[in-house]
Amino acid sequence: LAQDHEHAHRLATALATLPGISVDLEQVQTNMVFVNSQALQPNELAARLLTHGVQVSPGKPIRLVTHLDVSTEDIERVIEQFTTVLG
């Protein structure tokens, strides 16, 4: 569980640096990261990410969840795909 929290914090910190994305880093206390997108509508962002193999819950805010089956490499891949989609 501690690693899930570390992954969530890494994910949140990286995504918060992307243009058109905001993350309230103080709210990242568990394995969930809530992302607001000003760059794309949540459904459009989720659809684009899915074409890159990343599944997110496209609400307002977008919800990302880390868990036992998510590795450090997976977190880095998600960050890379967000960067690609928003770039």
Side-chain angles (χ1 to χ4, degrees):
L1 190 59
Q3 188 170 29
D4 294 342
H5 293 182
E6 288 175 25
H7 284 160
H9 183 40
R10 166 69 181 123
L11 183 59
T13 302
L15 295 182
T17 67
L18 297 176
I21 294 291
S22 62
V23 180
D24 184 348
L25 297 176
E26 291 184 18
Q27 293 296 320
V28 183
Q29 301 292 322
T30 65
N31 64 329
M32 288 190 245
V33 177
F34 296 96
V35 175
N36 289 296
S37 172
Q38 296 78 36
L40 298 169
Q41 291 297 317
N43 287 338
E44 183 178 354
L45 179 56
R48 288 187 187 188
L49 288 167
L50 191 56
T51 67
H52 292 272
V54 176
Q55 184 175 7
V56 300
S57 299
K60 288 188 180 185
I62 296 167
R63 183 173 61 109
L64 297 97
V65 180
T66 62
H67 56 78
L68 177 65
D69 296 327
V70 176
S71 69
T72 301
E73 292 79 19
D74 293 332
I75 296 298
E76 295 305 318
R77 192 172 134 273
V78 169
I79 294 166
E80 180 181 311
Q81 296 311 319
F82 261 86
T83 303
T84 298
V85 166
L86 294 169

